[in-house]
Amino acid sequence: IAKIAARVMAGEKLADLPKINRDIAHVAVKEAVFPFARFPGVDPVLSPEMKSTGEVMGLDRDFATAFAKAQLGAGVRLPDGGLVFVSVKDTDKPAILPAARKLVELGFTLVATGGTERYLAEAGVPVQRINKVAEGRPHIVDRIVDGDVALIFNTTEGWQSLKDSQSIRMAALGGRVPYFTTAAGSVAAVAVPATTPTASKTRRTSEPRPRLARRRAAHPQARRVRLDPAARAASPLWYARTSWPCR
């Protein structure tokens, strides 16, 4: 993509460039990394300003495992059991329903605030009601602070709803509880527990790339040569380039 973009910037037309091969054998998921954990008491809410300090990417043959790797790279440890808090806006309730059913099948326990609890219960999903902060104690923030909550799905709509959930976000940040604020992210997270990367499923990162493998096959005598101490002191490079011809 970068090469194509550079050629377009140089004046070439997309119609004249070779087609992009979209038939690839892997899925890539990128995740932003945020510094909120380093600032106790801050509200980890996003805004137009850029707040991420980097990004990571997970690659695998299926989306769920690639998503799990991206979360691990960003420092998020998804649980394989425990209590899940669900509180979503009305437009997200149909999307979150299959995910809630899947969580119950996986052995999780669900708690939800009034509106979400009624919706899930009417759909036949086992769920317990829990108070919002404004409804009095014990409420959801108490459970998060006590370490009872393992995962949070919370989507908001409107300024007041966003403000009301600030204490939930801050408590989740302090307790390092995975927190998803979109229906799409919540659904993706539910697919992870049964497909979390393991040693048997994850490919070695040192697996030779196809182009490198072809070069090694064509030049079996090629080897990496260590520089002698004098040359190494005079050069910023610790190792010489491989001895096969570059094309």
Side-chain angles (χ1 to χ4, degrees):
I1 299 297
K3 292 180 180 178
I4 293 175
R7 292 173 66 175
V8 170
M9 292 173 65
E12 295 189 50
K13 297 184 179 297
L14 284 173
D16 300 331
L17 297 177
K19 292 184 178 180
I20 300 175
N21 180 19
R22 299 179 183 273
D23 185 19
I24 55 178
H26 66 269
V27 177
V29 177
K30 296 184 75 174
E31 178 63 270
V33 178
F34 295 96
F36 297 129
R38 299 184 180 183
F39 302 96
V42 69
D43 182 7
V45 67
L46 299 182
S47 59
E49 299 87 359
M50 182 176 179
K51 296 184 178 181
S52 67
T53 54
E55 57 185 16
V56 295
M57 183 167 64
L59 286 89
D60 211 279
R61 291 185 175 90
D62 63 89
F63 171 80
T65 310
F67 181 83
K69 289 180 177 180
Q71 295 301 307
L72 289 171
V76 177
R77 299 295 183 266
L78 295 171
D80 56 8
L83 190 69
V84 180
F85 170 63
V86 184
S87 180
V88 297
K89 58 187 179 183
D90 291 341
T91 54
D92 287 339
K93 287 180 171 62
I96 212 72
L97 181 58
R101 288 197 174 111
K102 182 64 175 179
L103 284 171
V104 173
E105 293 175 5
L106 293 171
F108 288 84
T109 301
L110 304 186
V111 295
T113 50
T116 304
E117 185 270 339
R118 284 192 301 272
Y119 182 87
L120 295 177
E122 290 173 359
V125 178
V127 59
Q128 303 171 13
R129 189 182 186 282
I130 191 168
N131 286 341
K132 297 180 180 179
V133 174
E135 294 174 338
R137 291 184 160 173
H139 49 61
I140 179 56
V141 173
D142 292 330
R143 298 294 298 272
I144 297 173
V145 172
D146 290 343
D148 297 336
V149 179
L151 185 62
I152 297 174
F153 297 155
N154 182 213
T155 67
T156 59
E157 186 173 34
W159 178 84
Q160 188 61 46
S161 177
L162 183 66
K163 182 179 179 181
D164 291 344
S165 63
Q166 177 179 352
S167 57
I168 300 176
R169 293 190 296 272
M170 294 173 63
L173 177 65
R176 295 186 178 275
V177 180
Y179 188 113
F180 293 88
T181 57
T182 65
S186 302
V187 172
V190 172
V192 169
T195 56
T196 302
T198 61
S200 62
K201 293 185 61 178
T202 306
R203 290 184 294 167
R204 293 166 46 204
T205 56
S206 58
E207 181 179 336
R209 292 171 293 176
R211 187 176 179 183
L212 182 59
R214 289 195 299 270
R215 285 185 175 179
R216 286 177 175 171
H219 304 279
Q221 78 282 1
R223 60 189 178 88
R224 191 175 289 275
V225 181
R226 184 184 293 272
L227 294 176
D228 62 77
R232 189 173 64 193
S235 172
L237 298 177
W238 282 70
Y239 293 95
R241 291 185 178 274
T242 49
S243 59
W244 54 60
C246 295
R247 290 178 291 180

